[in-house]
């Protein structure tokens, strides 16, 4: 999140070099945050529910993302893009600070098998 915030901050000031650095930082930070989210799901969710939790996360993220795309398109026409990038950076810095201060290593979820073991089929005669 902090890398994403740094990328957004680099985009506040106009300039080709800063834009290139900002895009590189955003391109680095976005996969890191997604991998962190998926790792958290896998560590904190019982193995038999990982697929359901992952699908629920996708569903809960897709709706607000669609609304944010529309709101962003509207805001770009009304507000200077530098202010938008500054607001994005501020929100990401707050989120990064929250995640950093609340960070604790936790034990992985219990690794018991989700389904009953299947008995072997009888040998052919």
């Amino acid at each position: 999140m902090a890398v994403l915030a740094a990328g957004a901050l680099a985009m506040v000031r106009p300039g080709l070099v800063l834009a290139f650095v900002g895009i590189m930082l955003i391109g680095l930070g976005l996969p890191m945050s997604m991998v962190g989210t998926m790792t958290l799901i896998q560590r904190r969710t019982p193995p038999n529910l990982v697929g359901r939790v992952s699908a629920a996360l996708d569903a809960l993220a897709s709706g607000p993302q669609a609304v944010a795309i529309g709101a962003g398109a509207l805001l770009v026409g009304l507000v200077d893009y530098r202010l938008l990038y500054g607001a994005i950076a501020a929100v990401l810095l707050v989120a990064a600070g929250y995640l950093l201060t609340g960070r604790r290593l936790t034990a992985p979820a219990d690794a018991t098998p989700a389904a009953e073991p299947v008995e072997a089929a009888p040998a052919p005669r």
Side-chain angles (χ1 to χ4, degrees):
M1 290 293 216
V3 174
L4 284 170
L9 277 176
M11 302 292 275
V12 169
R13 186 149 172 100
L16 187 58
V17 173
L18 284 175
F20 182 72
V21 169
I23 292 297
M24 295 296 284
L25 288 172
I26 291 170
L28 177 67
L30 193 58
M32 290 170 49
S33 65
M34 294 307 297
V35 167
T37 302
M38 289 312 203
T39 301
L40 181 64
I41 285 175
Q42 291 173 358
R43 286 181 54 99
R44 302 288 298 194
T45 305
N48 60 330
L49 296 177
V50 170
R52 291 180 184 179
V53 172
S54 179
L57 174 69
D58 287 343
L60 289 173
S62 296
Q65 182 180 13
V67 172
I69 290 170
L74 178 67
L75 285 173
V76 166
L78 301 175
V79 181
D80 186 25
Y81 74 94
R82 293 173 290 210
L83 292 174
L84 294 176
Y85 274 121
I88 290 167
V91 169
L92 287 171
L93 282 173
V94 169
Y98 173 76
L99 292 173
L100 186 63
T101 58
R103 182 176 180 201
R104 291 180 192 87
L105 295 177
T106 58
D110 188 15
T112 56
E116 295 290 324
V118 178
E119 293 183 22
R125 295 184 187 192

